[in-house]
Amino acid sequence: MSVGWQEVASGVLVRRHRELDLNCGLVVGDGACLVVDTRSHLGEAADLIAAVRSVTPHPWAVVNTHAHYDHCFGNAAFRPATIWGSRGCASALVATAEDQRAAVVAELLADGDEASAELMRAAPVDPPDALVDDVAVLDVGGREVVLRFLGRGHTDHDLVVEVETTGDATVVFAGDLVEQGAPPAFEDAWPAEWPATLGRLHALARGPVVPGHGAVVDAAFVGGQREELLAVLDALRRGRLDAGPYGEAVMRVAASRPI
Ligand SMILES: [Zn+2]
């Protein structure tokens, strides 16, 4: 796993991190760039900023795919830039940040990682301030980038980042609506609605799809994950957690959510 950038289309880059196998994105235009997600704390954000600066000197805007800490607790390091996010992302971050922090700090301390726990304790809560309800079209130095809320899924506020590339192709940053290398995370999920949301994502994917975690995938992978989520929903509705496509622990979390 590289800590460098992978260019998935001209001027569209993905950085896959050892920490949590998290992906961040970078879209480079003419005199401007856009950073997708900001990592877990100011230390990781500073590392991401150095990586961005190794690619481009242009001023950035930022977008958060959703309010989970690993995607947005680094926000403050990118100020005073504009930070885009869904309206629900901003309110969810304000509402849940301290609970998220407490849970992560406890996990890190249990693992004996005092240094990371300290960085997590110090991470400012800095929610997005350019808020999207359904769709927003950004001009990133002459490149069109569309931010879309496609419906509830991994959370009630996931934002998808669609970047025009050459011809009819796109790169889609899917946040945690799509997960590669591990089962999707259901802690804040909407299992009954997630398949339809992924159906919409599948319909607009015309090229690389960047999951929130794991390797870059494509529309076919999104279609496959939609089928798995339909199987989860079917198992939940039949009360047969053993019949789902994922392990028992994952299925139990999914069963704790509204269906
Ligand atoms: Zn998440």
Side-chain angles (χ1 to χ4, degrees):
M1 198 181 309
S2 166
V3 294
W5 294 103
Q6 174 192 1
E7 189 166 33
V8 293
S10 179
V12 185
L13 298 93
V14 177
R15 190 169 190 245
R16 183 177 176 184
H17 300 89
R18 286 194 181 83
E19 296 81 3
L20 304 173
D21 204 7
L22 177 82
N23 288 318
C24 292
L26 176 63
V27 181
V28 182
D30 186 6
C33 67
L34 177 72
V35 176
V36 182
D37 287 340
T38 61
R39 307 187 69 192
S40 297
H41 52 66
L42 296 182
E44 288 186 358
D47 170 71
L48 178 58
I49 284 171
V52 169
R53 282 291 172 251
S54 76
V55 174
T56 173
H58 300 325
W60 53 61
V62 171
V63 57
N64 293 148
T65 57
H66 63 295
H68 287 155
Y69 73 97
D70 43 331
H71 302 263
C72 60
F73 272 30
N75 280 359
F78 291 82
R79 295 296 191 180
T82 298
I83 299 183
W84 292 85
S86 64
R87 193 171 299 279
C89 175
S91 54
L93 181 53
V94 170
T96 67
E98 294 314 322
D99 285 347
Q100 292 193 59
R101 187 198 311 278
V104 178
V105 166
E107 274 177 34
L108 290 167
L109 292 178
D111 288 345
D113 189 350
E114 296 273 352
S116 297
E118 194 49 48
L119 285 159
M120 281 302 307
R121 283 195 200 97
V125 177
D126 192 344
D129 52 3
L131 302 183
V132 181
D133 288 311
D134 294 314
V135 61
V137 181
L138 312 190
D139 177 353
V140 180
R143 294 189 83 134
E144 185 173 288
V145 176
V146 185
L147 311 180
R148 298 181 193 276
F149 174 69
L150 296 177
R152 297 194 289 195
H154 171 67
T155 68
D156 63 4
H157 60 263
D158 306 284
L159 208 57
V160 164
V161 181
E162 184 186 8
V163 185
E164 298 262 303
T165 57
T166 47
D168 190 38
T170 60
V171 175
V172 176
F173 292 91
D176 289 358
L177 283 171
V178 177
E179 177 119 25
Q180 191 280 332
F186 288 94
E187 280 76 3
D188 296 314
W190 296 83
E193 298 171 43
W194 198 342
T197 301
L198 270 197
R200 294 180 202 107
L201 176 51
H202 182 258
L204 63 79
R206 301 188 304 277
V209 175
V210 183
H213 305 263
V216 176
V217 295
D218 58 12
F221 182 95
V222 175
Q225 192 183 302
R226 178 176 168 276
E227 295 296 321
E228 290 180 4
L229 289 167
L230 284 169
V232 168
L233 185 59
D234 182 61
L236 295 180
R237 286 182 167 157
R238 290 192 291 128
R240 287 285 309 278
L241 300 193
D242 59 313
Y246 307 124
E248 192 192 332
V250 173
M251 292 298 294
R252 259 207 310 272
V253 176
S256 74
R257 297 295 302 164
I259 57 166

